[in-house]
Amino acid sequence: EPEVTQTPSHQVTQMGQEVILRCVPISNHLYFYWYRQILGQKVEFLVSFYNNEISEKSEIFDDQFSVERPDGSNFTLKIRSTKLEDSAMYFCASSSRGFETQYFGPGTRLLVL
Amino acid sequence: GEDVEQSLFLSVREGDSSVINCTYTDSSSTYLYWYKQEPGAGLQLLTYIFSNMDMKQDQRLTVLLNKKDKHLSLRIADTQTGDSAIYFCAEINQAGTALIFGKGTTLSVSS
């Protein structure tokens, strides 16, 4: 069964550094998403991406964040100048169409020291 | 704005039925979802229901939707220790571009 994959599974970085989180969505899906979950809190939407552009972003997704689909298979989330409060589990998801079921990857746990 | 509320904890004995409840605010939501998260793991889609349905059954899982009260429930029959996890209710936003999650209900199953 096709699945969303994410790398790395864990990342530790120093405050102020840049990190890139990678995702490989399900191959025939066209819509891609990033969510985050701070420890013990609810899963929060960050951004959705379709047709090589952002279709929606939340208030959390400020200039510190960017997304890219650098090739036909990868979908990345870049966090510039990381802050302590960026420590969270970051989930990638994909769907075949808008309003269709979103399938999630296993997540990348980011720890900013 | 859109919001989803769930009770935080539920404790049941193995073999009993579990009922996890959720309320949502956006009456125009077309799809409502239940995801399961085991410790340290990602979000696994359990089931979903379209807004024009009242009930959906899938093996041990039964989803009930009361659109008038904006209330969604997930019933797990014959709950097993392997069902211990956090269960998230989620609705799709009006644009169909984002899921709005509840805080999750931690289900603890004792033998």
Side-chain angles (χ1 to χ4, degrees), chain B residues 51-108:
Chain B
S51 58
N52 67 353
M53 299 169 67
D54 297 325
M55 185 182 85
K56 181 179 179 182
Q57 188 152 0
D58 183 1
Q59 299 183 331
R60 292 191 296 122
L61 305 178
T62 303
V63 179
L64 295 178
L65 175 60
N66 181 329
K67 281 195 70 175
K68 175 176 168 288
D69 294 338
K70 298 178 195 169
H71 182 266
L72 183 73
S73 68
L74 173 70
R75 179 177 180 268
I76 306 172
D78 187 25
T79 313
Q80 303 297 305
T81 54
D83 295 324
S84 294
I86 303 175
Y87 290 81
F88 291 94
C89 171
E91 63 174 343
I92 193 80
N93 69 350
Q94 288 193 20
T97 50
L99 287 172
I100 312 300
F101 284 86
K103 287 187 177 179
T105 299
T106 299
L107 174 64
S108 175

Side-chain angles (χ1 to χ4, degrees), chain A residues 31 33 35 37 40-45 47-48 55-56 89 91 97-107 109, chain B residues 3-5 30-31 33 35 37 40-45 48 88 92-103:
Chain A
Y31 291 77
Y33 314 85
Y35 292 80
Q37 184 183 30
Q41 298 188 23
K42 64 167 67 178
V43 177
E44 302 171 291
F45 168 75
V47 66
S48 59
S55 48
E56 183 158 354
M89 179 77 95
F91 292 108
R97 294 197 303 257
F99 288 101
E100 288 290 329
T101 300
Q102 295 180 23
Y103 293 90
F104 283 75
R109 185 169 294 284
Chain B
D3 195 18
V4 176
E5 296 288 339
T30 51
Y31 287 96
Y33 300 87
Y35 284 86
Q37 185 181 36
L43 297 166
Q44 174 195 352
L45 176 68
Y48 64 92
F88 291 94
I92 193 80
N93 69 350
Q94 288 193 20
T97 50
L99 287 172
I100 312 300
F101 284 86
K103 287 187 177 179

